[in-house]
């Protein structure tokens, strides 16, 4: 509990600094929320399988509690129909607003429509509805394409050094998420933006489907590397797959730190504690980072403002431009990444 309290203290400080100094043209500074006693918010999430969702859950629920807001938490356990019924139950209980992490983009459209029909403002955290969404919602989401592009660009610069020595083109592989999730689509697009920018550097990329499932990723990655043992550049669409990647590369003698012969140039996206640890050990070259603290604060501020304004169908996209932490910037920017904050608190030792 002491560690967790310390984590929250750090998180609040980080949010405060970001609110005061963040000036990206893609995002707006988050105002400071005030006490909101008497309100009840339904927080419907799809699971807590990854570090990102665990950290996001903590940031949202504890900050709402600090504001005096009652929180009804419901876990859909990766079942979109269950989540829809849970949200309907929240609405029947008369909640003032809803924060949702949907199972996928299509189910998000349905649930947002349910909230709109009942005049309950709703905010969607980090996993946006499908592009054809006709309904109104606050959508706070990382710019996955740009963040992935930033990380892969650094990996490409490392690849250029390698080709100068070997004279052989790089064989890239991407672990693709569930393409029903717009986040997965954006990350894949960001990867290809860089690969296609350097046609003389890369061979045709190999795609490995994961469906956001570690077992599926393991089976498909093993098959890909058995069929293509020259793969020497891997981008994972989510950091939670690093243990899977290691379990495949290590028996092949390809789990090697940067700067040593046989190193596979490695990068991903999220910014979790495992990625931080692996960067410190030299195995991961770059991580695209979702700015979790900005996203959590922006979600709460926008939703509470809508409730106070009696705006029952707020409709706004709030982007998180994120950034890339690389082996070139790790020494002086690591604490900007939420996973490094967790790592410094001993999160991986729990």
């Amino acid at each position: 509990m002491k560690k967790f309290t310390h984590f929250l203290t750090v998180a609040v400080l980080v949010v405060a600094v970001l609110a005061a100094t963040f000036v990206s043209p893609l995002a707006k500074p988050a105002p400071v929320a005030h006490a909101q006693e008497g309100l009840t918010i339904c927080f419907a999430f799809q699971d807590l399988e990854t570090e990102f969702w665990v950290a996001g859950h903590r940031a949202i629920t504890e900050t709402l509690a600090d504001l005096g807001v009652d929180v009804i938490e419901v876990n859909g356990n990766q079942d979109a129909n269950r989540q829809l019924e849970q949200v309907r139950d929240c609405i029947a209980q008369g909640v003032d607003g809803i924060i949702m992490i949907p199972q996928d983009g299509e189910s998000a459209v349905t649930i947002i429509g349910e909230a709109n029909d009942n005049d309950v403002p709703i905010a969607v955290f980090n996993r946006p509805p499908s592009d054809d969404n006709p309904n109104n919602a606050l959508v706070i989401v990382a710019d996955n394409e740009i963040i992935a592009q930033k990380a892969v660009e650094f990996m490409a610069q490392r690849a250029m050094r390698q080709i100068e020595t070997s004279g052989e083109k790089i064989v890239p592989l991407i672990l693709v998420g569930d393409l029903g999730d717009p986040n997965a689509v954006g990350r894949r697009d960001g990867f290809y933006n860089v690969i296609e920018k350097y046609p003389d550097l890369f061979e045709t990329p190999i795609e490995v489907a994961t469906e956001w499932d570690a077992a599926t990723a393991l089976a498909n990655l093993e098959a890909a590397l058995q069929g293509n043992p020259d793969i020497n550049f891997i981008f994972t669409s989510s950091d939670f797959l690093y243990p899977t990647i290691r379990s495949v590369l290590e028996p092949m003698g390809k789990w090697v730190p940067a700067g040593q012969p046989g190193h596979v140039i490695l990068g991903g996206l999220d910014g979790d504690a495992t990625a931080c640890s692996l960067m410190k050990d030299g195995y991961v070259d770059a991580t695209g980072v979702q700015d979790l603290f900005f996203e959590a604060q922006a979600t709460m501020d926008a939703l509470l403002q809508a409730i106070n304004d009696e705006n029952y169908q707020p409709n706004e996209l709030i982007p998180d431009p994120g950034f890339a932490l690389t082996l070139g910037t790790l020494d002086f920017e690591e604490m900007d990444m939420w996973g490094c904050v967790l790592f410094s608190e001993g999160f991986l030792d729990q």
Side-chain angles (χ1 to χ4, degrees), residues 28-42:
K28 62 182 184 181
V32 178
H34 300 290
Q36 300 288 336
E37 294 181 0
L39 296 181
T40 300
I41 300 293
C42 175

Side-chain angles (χ1 to χ4, degrees), residues 129-276:
S130 300
D131 292 339
D132 58 354
N133 172 42
N135 304 311
N136 297 320
L138 299 165
V139 178
I140 298 84
V141 64
D143 191 330
N144 287 282
E145 181 174 349
I146 295 300
I147 297 173
Q149 191 170 309
K150 290 174 181 175
V152 179
E153 178 64 42
F154 180 83
M155 296 168 65
Q157 299 306 312
R158 307 280 282 195
M160 287 179 190
R161 295 185 193 173
Q162 186 165 315
I163 199 172
E164 289 174 358
T165 303
S166 67
E168 297 180 354
K169 294 177 76 171
I170 304 298
V171 184
L173 178 148
I174 176 173
L175 290 154
V176 180
D178 179 354
L179 293 178
D181 175 1
N183 288 351
V185 175
R187 296 172 191 195
R188 181 179 179 274
D189 289 346
F191 170 81
Y192 275 100
N193 289 346
V194 178
I195 298 299
E196 293 171 355
K197 179 181 173 183
Y198 302 108
D200 296 331
L201 180 60
F202 294 111
E203 299 284 4
T204 301
I206 297 164
E207 285 197 21
V208 169
T210 73
E211 304 297 334
W212 293 143
D213 177 73
T216 302
L218 175 62
N220 291 338
L221 182 59
E222 284 179 332
L225 278 158
Q226 288 171 0
N228 303 274
D230 294 333
I231 289 168
N232 52 1
F233 185 106
I234 296 178
F235 177 76
T236 173
S237 295
S238 177
D239 291 348
F240 89 96
L241 291 171
Y242 278 129
T244 300
I245 295 170
R246 179 174 184 171
S247 72
V248 176
L249 293 184
E250 202 161 41
M252 301 177 71
K254 296 169 76 72
W255 185 252
V256 179
Q260 296 184 21
H263 171 64
V264 174
I265 298 171
L266 188 58
L269 196 152
D270 277 330
D272 70 14
T274 300
C276 182

